[in-house]
Amino acid sequence: MKRIYTNHNLCSGCRACSVACSIAHTGMADDARGAIRIIRNAVEGYEVQAVCRVCEDPECVAACMGAALSKDPETGRIIFDEDRCIGCWMCVMVCPYQGIHPDHKTGKAIICDQCEGREDAACVAACSTGAIVFVEIEDGVKVES
Amino acid sequence: MGEKGRRQVKNMGASIGNIRSRVAFVDLTEGTVRYEDTPDEMVRKYLGGRGLNVAYLYKLLPEDVDPLSPENVLIIGAGALTGTGAPNSGRFNITAKSPESNILGDANSGGFFGPKLRASGIDRIIVLGKAESPVYLKVEDSVVSIENAEKYWGMDVNDVQFAFQRDLGQSVEAICIGPAGENLVRFACVMSGIKNAAARGGLGAVMGSKNVKGIVAVGGRREDALEISDPDGFLKLCEKLKKYLNDSLIVKVLGHVGTPLLYEVSNHLGAIRTRNSQDSTFEPTLNAEVIHDHVSKMISCHSCVVHCRHRNIHNGEGPEYTTIGLLGANLGIADTGNVIRLNNLANRLGLDVSSTGGIISWAIELYQKGIIDDSITGEPIDFGDYDLAVRLINSIAKREGFGDVLADSSQAAEKLNDPDRDYLTAVKGLPQSDPHDVRYIKAFALGIATASRGADHLRSRPTIEVFDLPAELIRSIYGSDVSRDPTAYETKEIVVYTHENIYSIIDAVGICKFVCHGFNSPKLLKFEHHSEMLEKAFGAKFLEGDLQDIALRIVDLERAFNNREGVKRPDDTLPRRYFDEPMPDGVAKGHKIDREEFKGMLDRYYKLRKWDGEGVVPDERVREITSPFSGITGGVEK
């Protein structure tokens, strides 16, 4: 299975990843619609890359009371059925990595689908510093090529 | 280029596609907000950002208005590509009549506010009138509301943005003023984040005069965001352009050390403004590599491929070349950490570092020369005194003691006993931003003399003048032969004219100059790339000739605005020292500006611009370029 990894040392905080994700999935340019987020605070001086880590035993799936979230046993991806999402934000609260985001405007969660059906992951293609990679993992560990 | 030439590049077939230009007119006196889509013809003719801002300002502002009165019009506008995710597309412009120069005030800034404003459903905010008590504007779901800001008034730039995040959500992005803007310091800037500044011309004071503490973009619904016409095509194009830019050496170097790299270049030339331009070389303690010891990480603005901004270890961001020049060498302060601390202090207070350094150094030289004394300064003042600089910067922002005098910028000339501003490095009342002493490179000199907002390098600075480029490449940039000698006067009007045109388009599309052709590199993004991005993003069609025509229009309209405010040929000049005193040191030693040669250069420049001999845009041209405004109604209630 594959996972998106981020490297906070390389991330300059520009959010090109988020806006590319938003354009790829919604056709709209809005980094708040991206499934990958750069949570940054200039005053405190940090930028945190928040994206789904396709956990082996995902807390979000366990917490989802509408059964909108499930884990694909083949690909390891988290499958999100938007129609079933009731916007209770349990997934958002239990995810230890801020990997799933609440869209307060639609009342639906936003989670990375690893750009299923696309040639490249949009966030990886948009990143100009190489801070984001999409790679194979085995037993939860990155396979170095 | 004759009238015939102008027609050749005239916009025949430009189409704006679905470029969005949604304007909110906020009348603070009436407490109302009205909305309007910019008429298509205006977008076709002025595109966005700086272009549309000046178009609205020209239309809405009566002449001879006191810039700090409620009649001034404050315009915050995103570029056409701002927020699309195009490379380095985080920029926006703020425009009003400047309280520092009393002519056009227009400042461009990066950061994250511009994209968030557009994602919140608004592309331009036009602020009219004055609120009775402190307010901030909240932008959410395509609606702008006027909110009480009593509890934020008095906060510095960092604290107020932290408070906005606390109160309105972690993901909000804001522009704001610090104490300097509240206290109507004539060179107060509008800040976004802790270091991005719409710095020049005192627009923070205009915001303060309207009792506006800030504008907070909260976000929007899906339908409030910008729709991309060809999502896959646009993403592919952005990816391709980012790769192209990342391969550029100058982009790599800027990403490594940022703009301080220029300090060493200027210093080597003997052209780093030092101790109010009395000297022209300074200490190596401000070299980029030394600065870098004080940097924890290089960070960026929205969608940026360069990441030239330093997060410094003294609790701030920066410094830029401008800051180390003007708060360092120009004040005679060499200690690296202290110069960065001054940078952080000015940013927190919301002061334009360029004017701050220029005005303080002016006062110190006047004191040295005995033109002013302790009766006005309150204490002895000298170069190289960090503690004094801290005291003065604080007192300027609070308008206390001598700081209250300095806070009037060039308008303090009478009080400082230098009525003709003989010792102030300024043009049209605006202190020079570039730390580079322009007596050596003649195109730099003409550029600050003609810049539409006063002595400023970001209107035309042709850095490539120092690169010694091959003649063939020069011909391809300028369309004709241009002297490769940076100290030559002839043909430099072509250089300034070309760069002014290029930069006006960069500011209209909302992209950073660091990734654009002409600023630091003869390569990078050109008009053809802007055209391509506009097409993929919005289905818009602007051919290179259309963009060239828009560029001419923007520069002409800014000039027409300034003409209306009384600007004429005598204002297109240089600080006295640049004509009268030869440069003291380095490669540039002995160089100054020859008055006759300068006059010739200006004549040729006017001719190229098709302005008259007094530097006035002909009436016929003004009628032509103002005709697209007839559609503005001032908005409709929503």
Side-chain angles (χ1 to χ4, degrees):
Chain A
M1 72 185 254
K2 290 180 88 174
R3 203 197 117 176
I4 289 171
Y5 276 91
T6 57
N7 181 334
H8 68 94
N9 289 319
L10 293 178
C11 175
S12 68
C14 82
R15 292 183 175 161
C17 52
S18 307
V19 73
C21 177
S22 169
I23 292 171
H25 290 83
T26 70
M28 310 297 275
D30 180 0
D31 45 51
R33 301 247 105 67
I36 182 167
R37 301 282 173 91
I38 306 301
I39 301 160
R40 43 176 292 284
N41 188 310
V43 179
E44 297 194 328
Y46 63 75
E47 37 281 316
V48 173
Q49 304 74 35
V51 65
C52 176
R53 299 187 181 196
V54 290
C55 302
E56 223 165 296
D57 191 10
E59 300 278 1
C60 59
V61 172
C64 181
M65 58 178 82
L69 291 165
S70 58
K71 188 171 169 73
D72 186 323
E74 295 262 316
T75 64
R77 270 199 290 262
I78 307 295
I79 310 290
F80 176 55
D81 182 349
E82 191 177 288
D83 292 339
R84 297 188 70 95
C85 177
I86 57 168
C88 70
W89 313 135
M90 286 299 290
C91 53
V92 174
M93 281 185 272
V94 298
C95 176
Y97 307 111
Q98 299 196 67
I100 186 162
H101 314 287
D103 182 342
H104 293 289
K105 303 291 183 189
T106 60
K108 307 283 185 186
I110 297 175
I111 188 168
C112 173
D113 65 357
Q114 299 194 333
C115 277
E116 191 185 4
R118 292 183 65 82
E119 210 176 302
D120 307 302
C123 58
V124 176
C127 181
S128 58
T129 66
I132 315 173
V133 290
F134 186 34
V135 291
E136 283 291 336
I137 53 172
E138 257 171 40
D139 299 327
V141 180
K142 201 185 323 186
V143 180
E144 300 294 344
S145 55
Chain B
M1 202 186 331
E3 186 57 37
K4 212 172 161 191
R6 183 166 269 155
R7 282 208 191 90
Q8 278 171 358
V9 293
K10 195 173 166 74
N11 171 1
M12 296 303 287
S15 98
I16 69 165
N18 55 2
I19 292 178
R20 198 187 67 186
S21 184
R22 197 178 289 155
V23 185
F25 295 81
V26 180
D27 188 327
L28 296 168
T29 307
E30 299 292 325
T32 58
V33 183
R34 290 167 173 269
Y35 302 87
E36 182 176 279
D37 286 330
T38 304
D40 289 0
E41 184 63 4
M42 269 180 82
V43 180
R44 227 186 327 268
K45 296 289 168 67
Y46 288 96
L47 199 52
R50 176 177 153 194
L52 280 179
N53 275 18
V54 70
Y56 276 104
L57 188 72
Y58 192 96
K59 168 78 179 181
L60 297 171
L61 187 76
E63 57 195 287
D64 278 336
V65 158
D66 173 358
L68 295 177
S69 72
E71 283 69 43
N72 202 354
V73 178
L74 181 68
I75 304 171
I76 300 98
L81 286 166
T82 302
T84 57
N88 295 51
S89 58
R91 305 195 72 91
F92 62 100
N93 271 63
I94 304 186
T95 309
K97 183 172 171 181
S98 162
E100 189 171 19
S101 61
N102 286 317
I103 59 166
L104 177 73
D106 176 74
N108 177 276
S109 175
F112 292 81
F113 174 78
K116 196 70 174 179
L117 176 70
R118 297 197 94 184
S120 304
I122 297 290
D123 307 301
R124 180 162 283 96
I125 298 177
I126 299 181
V127 187
L128 309 157
K130 179 185 179 179
E132 269 181 28
S133 56
V135 298
Y136 73 93
L137 305 180
K138 186 171 91 168
V139 191
E140 187 174 14
D141 300 350
S142 300
V143 171
V144 179
S145 56
I146 305 167
E147 310 282 345
N148 186 319
E150 296 278 4
K151 69 172 172 177
Y152 302 119
W153 204 256
M155 286 184 179
D156 74 23
V157 164
N158 293 13
D159 289 347
V160 72
Q161 291 185 85
F162 199 78
F164 284 145
Q165 289 194 338
R166 178 194 66 207
D167 297 343
L168 299 163
Q170 196 185 28
S171 63
V172 306
E173 299 292 345
I175 54 173
C176 67
I177 55 169
E182 293 178 10
N183 294 322
L184 310 184
V185 175
R186 290 184 188 273
F187 46 95
C189 51
V190 178
M191 297 289 294
S192 174
I194 65 177
K195 137 94 172 49
N196 299 293
R200 306 245 63 206
L203 301 171
V206 176
M207 207 165 180
S209 74
K210 296 185 175 301
N211 262 329
V212 175
K213 181 65 180 174
I215 302 179
V216 187
V218 175
R221 301 155 298 188
R222 185 184 181 280
E223 63 267 30
D224 299 309
L226 285 176
E227 185 169 3
I228 302 299
S229 293
D230 176 3
D232 286 336
F234 182 65
L235 287 175
K236 281 262 175 288
L237 174 63
C238 290
E239 190 185 339
K240 187 181 87 179
L241 294 177
K242 281 175 186 175
K243 284 201 175 110
Y244 165 60
L245 294 169
N246 271 324
D247 283 342
S248 148
L249 180 63
I250 186 70
V251 166
K252 286 192 176 92
V253 175
L254 278 170
H256 178 55
V257 293
T259 56
L261 80 97
L262 294 166
Y263 174 82
E264 219 172 324
V265 178
S266 291
N267 209 6
H268 167 72
L269 282 174
I272 193 77
R273 292 164 57 200
T274 302
R275 297 177 198 91
N276 204 41
S277 301
Q278 298 178 92
D279 299 309
S280 64
T281 51
F282 198 60
E283 306 294 323
T285 47
L286 302 180
N287 285 354
E289 292 300 335
V290 185
I291 298 278
H292 220 66
D293 292 339
H294 297 255
V295 172
S296 61
K297 191 177 182 184
M298 296 302 283
I299 53 176
S300 62
C301 297
H302 198 278
S303 297
C304 166
V305 304
V306 181
H307 48 84
C308 71
R309 191 172 44 189
H310 319 73
R311 174 173 290 144
N312 64 57
I313 57 173
H314 305 290
N315 201 22
E317 292 175 6
E320 300 288 345
Y321 162 58
T322 302
T323 319
I324 57 177
L326 287 164
L327 296 180
N330 200 42
L331 296 184
I333 295 172
D335 183 89
T336 319
N338 281 347
V339 172
I340 296 172
R341 286 182 193 95
L342 292 178
N343 161 78
N344 294 350
L345 176 65
N347 285 341
R348 281 195 84 129
L349 296 169
L351 286 166
D352 170 16
V353 293
S354 305
S355 289
T356 303
I359 294 297
I360 292 176
S361 70
W362 177 34
I364 295 175
E365 186 182 350
L366 294 176
Y367 185 90
Q368 274 189 333
K369 290 196 155 49
I371 296 169
I372 55 172
D373 59 28
D374 292 11
S375 66
I376 183 166
T377 62
E379 60 178 329
I381 60 174
D382 200 357
F383 291 108
D385 186 342
Y386 167 73
D387 293 330
L388 170 77
V390 170
R391 278 200 302 282
L392 285 178
I393 289 172
N394 275 306
S395 64
I396 288 169
K398 291 176 189 154
R399 273 193 174 274
E400 287 173 354
F402 187 44
D404 188 34
V405 175
L406 300 181
D408 280 332
S409 187
S410 51
Q411 294 173 43
E414 299 279 345
K415 283 186 186 163
L416 291 175
N417 204 17
D418 184 21
D420 296 330
R421 300 171 185 163
D422 282 340
Y423 299 96
L424 175 64
T425 308
V427 177
K428 301 183 178 76
L430 189 81
Q432 186 190 330
S433 51
D434 193 342
H436 193 95
D437 189 316
V438 301
R439 280 173 278 189
Y440 181 65
I441 301 175
K442 311 309 179 197
F444 282 22
L446 180 64
I448 66 163
T450 60
S452 59
R453 60 181 181 182
D456 196 274
H457 61 297
L458 293 171
R459 288 315 212 219
S460 72
R461 180 180 152 132
T463 309
I464 56 178
E465 277 285 283
V466 294
F467 288 0
D468 198 21
L469 299 172
E472 200 176 314
L473 184 56
I474 287 184
R475 210 171 299 122
S476 79
I477 295 169
Y478 298 111
S480 63
D481 286 318
V482 163
S483 168
R484 293 166 68 193
D485 176 4
T487 68
Y489 292 91
E490 67 271 19
T491 66
K492 296 307 174 181
E493 70 283 359
I494 301 171
V495 173
V496 171
Y497 171 88
T498 306
H499 287 265
E500 283 178 341
N501 294 343
I502 294 174
Y503 298 0
S504 68
I505 290 298
I506 296 173
D507 291 340
V509 290
I511 291 192
C512 175
K513 293 185 177 71
F514 286 176
V515 293
C516 290
H517 160 78
F519 192 62
N520 288 320
S521 167
K523 297 181 189 166
L524 310 186
L525 302 184
K526 300 181 178 178
F527 282 8
E528 67 197 67
H529 298 111
H530 301 320
S531 296
E532 214 179 343
M533 289 190 283
L534 287 165
E535 180 174 1
K536 297 286 184 201
F538 301 117
K541 289 218 186 324
F542 286 89
L543 304 178
E544 284 176 58
D546 297 323
L547 294 177
Q548 172 71 7
D549 212 22
I550 291 170
L552 296 174
R553 214 175 275 125
I554 292 171
V555 175
D556 282 354
L557 188 63
E558 289 183 342
R559 182 65 178 191
F561 177 89
N562 283 339
N563 287 155
R564 200 168 70 178
E565 296 293 338
V567 169
K568 282 192 176 180
R569 181 173 189 126
D571 301 294
D572 296 339
T573 186
L574 294 168
R576 181 200 57 80
R577 175 166 273 143
Y578 287 171
F579 290 118
D580 293 348
E581 297 175 19
M583 293 173 85
D585 217 346
V587 176
K589 188 171 180 175
H591 280 270
K592 59 177 184 172
I593 303 293
D594 181 274
R595 283 181 199 275
E596 278 306 306
E597 291 279 12
F598 179 80
K599 185 174 168 289
M601 198 159 58
L602 198 57
D603 279 335
R604 296 192 299 274
Y605 170 83
Y606 287 164
K607 208 170 164 196
L608 203 52
R609 282 261 168 246
K610 303 176 73 62
W611 300 345
D612 72 14
E614 278 301 295
V616 175
V617 184
D619 288 345
E620 190 195 348
R621 174 67 172 162
V622 175
R623 271 195 298 279
E624 180 198 332
I625 62 179
T626 55
S627 65
F629 309 160
S630 55
I632 302 177
T633 64
V636 290
E637 216 153 342
K638 193 165 170 177

